[in-house]
Amino acid sequence: MPILSFILKRVIQAGFVLIAVTLFVSFAIRLTGDPAVMMLRESANVTPEDLERIREGLGLNRPFLVQYGDFIAGLVTGDLGQSFFRGAIAPLVSGALGATLLLALTSLAVSLLISIPLGIYAATHRGSFGDQLVRVLSLAGLSFPNFWLGIMLVLIFSVTLRWLPPSGFTGPQSLIMPAVTIGVILTSTNLRIVRTTMLDVLSSQFIMVARAKGLSQTKVVYKHALRNSSIALVTYLGLQFGSLMGGLVVVELVFNWPGMGTLAIEAIAQRDYPILQTVISILAVLIVAVNLLVDLTYMLLDPRIRLE
């Protein structure tokens, strides 16, 4: 029951957050221009009557709150509606969402597979040459802008060596460079978090007791220390997922990745309100859901933690 009460409370909070986000986005995008003008920008002898006819066909002449209410109702019922320029929104968003989640989850996997082993090594060999090297590499990774790293990878592996496709999604090979670009940036931060928290846990009293009982170094580090130090990493991963959704826009543009970021940029350029509202709303739902999952994961890692 406490868990159900906690989930219900978070769902209600998420509802208010989503309303605030979608309301702001819906209002802000309408300040960028008139879709009717965009649709007729290449036509000659456009009259005000022509523009008004387009606005009426798109439903733009209705009050803002009425348009927003229709959008929310459609979002709740699963009817994402029609784009101003590209037909049904549902297939566009489903394809882009799948591509974005694939890239995001692969990048996180790359980051964790690198950062956790290296962070543990650095913490258990504090002050050694390996520890210093890991810290230098972590600092170097934080210094690289993701768009610059992506461009360098394209120049080396696509233009010069011709090993990988430079852009688009033509198969598993197309995923390598975008995932590495994001994974390197994520690894630099996650590695430092793993190292710092492991150092703190390894110096705690219960670790000393475990060693005094004769437990092996492997058991002490991976069974006891890693589990207790993972709470900080899990917390940061929840925060990182939100920034990752925003950071993917740049990487998707560099690699012409057919994800939510690319779809959102195209919608902004065309003043396509329905698509942009839908993209922002779905990303907001994902971020809220991931942070709820992080809160529930705390109890699995440390049963002493209570959900409030």
Side-chain angles (χ1 to χ4, degrees):
M1 290 302 295
I3 295 180
L4 293 177
S5 176
F6 172 80
I7 294 176
L8 180 60
K9 184 188 301 183
R10 283 304 179 92
V11 168
I12 295 174
Q13 293 173 354
F16 286 109
V17 171
L18 294 176
I19 290 174
V21 170
T22 54
L23 188 61
F24 174 77
V25 171
S26 300
F27 176 76
I29 192 176
R30 283 165 170 77
L31 302 178
T32 62
D34 189 347
V37 175
M38 289 290 298
M39 296 179 73
L40 299 177
R41 66 183 183 277
E42 297 180 358
S43 302
N45 302 322
V46 178
T47 65
E49 290 76 15
D50 294 330
L51 294 175
E52 187 61 30
R53 194 178 306 112
I54 294 294
R55 295 189 188 102
E56 184 176 357
L58 297 176
L60 298 176
N61 57 348
R62 297 178 300 163
F64 167 73
L65 291 180
V66 174
Q67 297 181 50
Y68 176 76
D70 289 345
F71 164 72
I72 293 297
L75 196 65
V76 171
T77 59
D79 180 12
L80 301 183
Q82 298 287 319
S83 162
F84 289 162
F85 303 91
R86 304 171 64 177
I89 295 177
L92 295 173
V93 171
S94 62
L97 180 61
T100 291
L101 288 178
L102 176 63
L103 179 55
L105 295 178
T106 303
S107 302
L108 283 174
V110 169
S111 172
L112 294 177
L113 289 174
I114 297 174
S115 60
I116 292 178
L118 287 183
I120 293 174
Y121 173 83
T124 54
H125 296 78
R126 183 177 185 180
S128 65
F129 173 77
D131 179 29
Q132 298 296 330
L133 180 61
V134 167
R135 294 170 66 184
V136 170
L137 292 176
S138 172
L139 183 60
L142 289 173
S143 305
F144 294 146
N146 52 10
F147 67 88
W148 179 86
L149 182 58
I151 293 173
M152 291 299 103
L153 291 178
V154 170
L155 289 175
I156 295 172
F157 293 102
S158 296
V159 178
T160 304
L161 299 177
R162 299 183 182 276
W163 289 355
L164 299 170
S167 63
F169 182 64
T170 58
Q173 286 186 325
S174 302
L175 183 62
I176 295 176
M177 288 195 295
V180 169
T181 300
I182 302 172
V184 166
I185 306 300
L186 300 180
T187 297
S188 302
T189 305
N190 293 341
L191 194 157
R192 298 171 74 89
I193 291 176
V194 173
R195 178 186 180 275
T196 302
T197 54
M198 282 291 293
L199 285 174
D200 183 57
V201 173
L202 288 173
S203 62
S204 59
Q205 187 175 5
F206 79 92
I207 293 295
M208 298 180 186
V209 172
R211 284 173 171 161
K213 291 181 176 179
L215 296 180
S216 65
Q217 176 72 354
T218 302
K219 198 168 186 178
V220 168
V221 171
Y222 289 96
K223 183 177 180 181
H224 298 285
L226 180 60
R227 178 173 181 176
N228 284 273
S229 65
S230 60
I231 294 178
L233 179 61
V234 169
T235 301
Y236 187 74
L237 287 176
L239 300 174
Q240 200 174 55
F241 185 81
S243 60
L244 177 60
M245 290 294 101
L248 281 176
V249 175
V250 176
V251 176
E252 287 182 359
L253 290 177
V254 170
F255 293 100
N256 194 27
W257 188 261
M260 297 286 273
T262 302
L263 185 62
I265 293 298
E266 293 172 350
I268 292 173
Q270 296 178 324
R271 277 74 168 179
D272 201 334
Y273 306 160
I275 286 184
L276 186 59
Q277 291 175 147
T278 303
V279 168
I280 298 298
S281 300
I282 291 176
L283 292 180
V285 169
L286 283 176
I287 293 171
V288 170
V290 167
N291 281 276
L292 174 60
L293 182 62
V294 167
D295 290 338
L296 295 176
T297 305
Y298 289 159
M299 286 204 318
L300 298 177
L301 297 174
D302 190 348
R304 297 171 299 175
I305 296 178
R306 289 187 176 183
L307 300 177
E308 297 180 356

